Amino acid sequence: MHQEPLHTAGQPLSAASKALIMLHGRGASAADILSLATHLHVPDFALLAPRATQNTWYPYSFLAPLPQNEPWLTDALAAVGRAVAAAQTAGIAAENIYFLGFSQGACLTLEYVARHATRYGGVVAFTGGLIGDQLYPEHYAGDFAGTPIFIGTSDPDMHVPVERVRASTKLLTTLGAQVTEKVYPNMGHTITHEEIELANSLVFGR
């Protein structure tokens, strides 16, 4: 599963100095998340967006016991890894690779980078947290070496409890990330203009 061709936009990989890997939410598509790039400060980036089989990365809540979401979750992480490999094969180093996701895609974004922590360009998670019925620190390794991460979320949110967001921020920080967490009262399950502006200033404007 999750074997669909990588969707691309922005600069060609062969000409780009930076790459942004964009992960859509449940029920959405690669084209949906790529359309967000028009609001981001990424004119010189190659944009890479995997697409989930049947538009979902894993079938159950991100808070379900991990075995319930297998093998989808492992395959979803592999799809992200293929996008990273495509950027690296084109000569883009990890410190120039960026990640962005919304909702289920934000959860997958954080899970991937935490399992492969290194100095990335930056990470944006619009409403998401690390995956599992609880956090499993033994799954995460590496050193973000100051990678900027922005996490924005609503309190409450119908899918992502703010407690998991805060726990994820704490764990990512222990791995060396520079995390900015912003919790908006009653924002709803969406992406706001303020979040986009913060992502631009904290991550893409660096």
Side-chain angles (χ1 to χ4, degrees):
M1 62 195 71
H2 310 316
Q3 294 291 329
E4 295 194 31
L6 192 64
H7 293 244
T8 61
Q11 298 298 319
L13 268 176
S14 58
S17 59
K18 299 177 181 179
L20 171 59
I21 296 168
M22 308 182 75
L23 301 178
H24 66 77
R26 189 190 301 269
S29 69
D32 293 329
I33 197 71
L34 284 170
S35 70
L36 186 63
T38 59
H39 303 284
L40 303 174
H41 297 166
V42 292
D44 56 341
F45 285 55
L47 308 177
L48 309 176
R51 182 174 179 179
T53 299
Q54 298 180 345
N55 305 97
T56 187
W57 293 111
Y58 41 86
Y60 300 107
S61 166
F62 84 110
L63 299 172
L66 290 172
Q68 290 186 14
N69 275 320
E70 293 294 359
W72 298 273
L73 176 57
T74 293
D75 285 353
L77 292 165
V80 182
R82 288 193 296 272
V84 172
Q88 292 178 324
T89 298
I92 300 176
E95 58 263 31
N96 289 318
I97 296 176
Y98 295 70
F99 299 82
L100 177 149
F102 170 62
S103 190
Q104 192 185 57
C107 297
L108 182 60
T109 293
L110 294 177
E111 188 70 16
Y112 179 86
V113 298
R115 292 189 184 208
H116 305 275
T118 190
R119 184 54 165 95
Y120 295 114
V123 180
V124 175
F126 292 125
T127 312
L130 293 167
I131 296 173
D133 52 313
Q134 62 183 51
L135 295 189
Y136 294 91
E138 65 271 20
H139 291 175
Y140 310 119
D143 183 355
F144 280 115
T147 296
I149 297 180
F150 171 69
I151 305 175
T153 196
S154 176
D155 182 21
D157 181 86
M158 67 182 77
H159 301 295
V160 181
V162 71
E163 293 80 13
R164 175 55 60 92
V165 173
R166 289 175 173 146
S168 300
T169 292
K170 183 176 180 179
L171 191 149
L172 293 163
T173 301
T174 67
L175 291 172
Q178 187 67 41
V179 184
T180 300
E181 174 194 289
K182 185 72 172 177
V183 179
Y184 299 89
N186 301 304
M187 178 178 72
H189 197 70
T190 187
I191 301 172
T192 67
H193 177 74
E194 181 178 334
E195 286 181 292
I196 290 172
E197 288 303 303
L198 280 171
N200 280 327
S201 63
L202 295 169
V203 177
F204 301 119
R206 293 172 69 91

